[in-house]
Amino acid sequence: MTLTVPASTLDYFGIDSLIDDDTRQLQAAVRAFVDRRVRPEIATWYDSGQLPARELARELGDLGVLGMHLQGYGCAGTSATAYGLACFELEAGDSGLRSLVSVQGSLAMYAIWRFGSEEQKQQWLPPMAAGAAIGCFGLTEPDFGSDPSGMRTRARRDGSDWVLSGTKMWITNGSIADVAVVWARTDEGVRGFLVPAGTPGFTAPEITRKQSLRASVTSELVLDDVRLPADAMLPEAAGLSGPLSCLNEARFGIVFGALGAAQDCLDTTVEYARSRQIFDRPLAAYQATQLKLADMSLELGKGMLLALHLGAAKDAGTLDHRQVSLGKLNSVREAIAIARECRTILGAAGITLDYPIIRHAANLESVLTYEGTSEVHQLIIGQVLTGHSAFR
């Protein structure tokens, strides 16, 4: 590799040499989609708090990224690494875009694919892979996020039916979903249910006034004695291991995705620093600027190497779910630090939507929290290292 001024920060690390040709082409296709469809519009979507989610879902289905790492039922069946790199490119566009894809594929579709009956898979997975149907995943509740074992949503039997009551909160895609995967406590433990939109007693009011993930649909799910037939239950999921395994799939995408937001911030900042004149010199020519850029580039590159290592382990079937905590914690923590540092180089320009920095920084505040807070992942790592649980 000849080292010249790199077109992108990660070019310096020779990352492409670690990725096979097919995966590299898929990543390039997603990047081209983001460049063509998302970048010209994302500041407007973010500013207005509106996302053409249904339209984008169709286009993302045509691109083949919805449930792309699942096998069969219209899904692309790619490697985990390819899925991760797609998340990287999507989140370089916006965290809200990657969230739409993650919730669709790694939460709602994965739950049906892994725990559903054959009839449920045939009914929902092909249209969801095509983006013709949208799913959401209802686990978090107003009072129970990090501790899902305390959930209050209940499902009781009434003859051959199930009747669900409760509330879910902070649900991506909720108010536009055609089907909700809802987890509820039963006399037999926690079980998952498929709740189609329009079912009597089921509503999904949108959450507004957000200052993060504005280009994303976030909702509450309200279940007021929602009656479902017996075959609405996911037959293969029993206990919290079901929803937690779905969360682990989504966390894996975040390991790569957050780094995409960081690269977009850093590439934007390098370009800005080269062109911005300060005291008759480019901002990039100052030592303080170069020190910041060097440190950020190093952390981004290390994060990407860890992500690719975890992707290779997942593809080999050797990835321990607790190792994903290493990646999620590191990627999001470093990405948000990079976004904040990049903002300092852009100065006042960094707080406007003319540049993506403040948008990524605000989005990453949410990514830092969802699919397990940083503190939760620290404690998972701590438990592995010490053999002692500090959760209680």
Side-chain angles (χ1 to χ4, degrees), residues 165-249:
S165 298
T167 303
K168 302 295 182 178
M169 196 69 171
W170 308 117
I171 308 302
T172 298
N173 300 346
S175 61
I176 60 169
D178 298 284
V179 63
V181 179
V182 175
W183 301 91
R185 185 180 301 283
T186 76
D187 290 340
E188 305 155 14
V190 172
R191 305 302 298 256
F193 298 86
L194 300 184
V195 184
T199 302
F202 175 56
T203 55
E206 186 171 356
I207 296 171
T208 59
R209 303 185 72 185
K210 297 179 300 178
Q211 297 304 305
S212 176
L213 289 180
R214 290 181 54 77
S216 178
V217 177
T218 310
S219 310
E220 183 181 11
L221 304 183
V222 180
L223 301 111
D224 185 7
D225 287 339
V226 172
R227 183 174 293 272
L228 299 171
D231 62 6
M233 186 180 73
L234 297 173
E236 301 301 321
L240 276 175
S241 62
L244 293 181
S245 68
C246 300
L247 292 179
N248 206 55
E249 292 293 310

Side-chain angles (χ1 to χ4, degrees), residues 24 29 102 142 145 149 185 189 206 222 228 259 269 301 321 334 341 382:
R24 195 180 302 117
S102 288
S149 65
R185 185 180 301 283
E206 186 171 356
V222 180
L228 299 171
L259 297 176
T269 301
H321 68 91
E334 296 306 325
E341 189 77 298

Side-chain angles (χ1 to χ4, degrees), residues 154-171:
R154 294 198 61 85
R156 58 178 175 83
R157 290 187 183 274
D158 185 14
S160 62
D161 291 345
W162 289 96
V163 179
L164 275 63
S165 298
T167 303
K168 302 295 182 178
M169 196 69 171
W170 308 117
I171 308 302

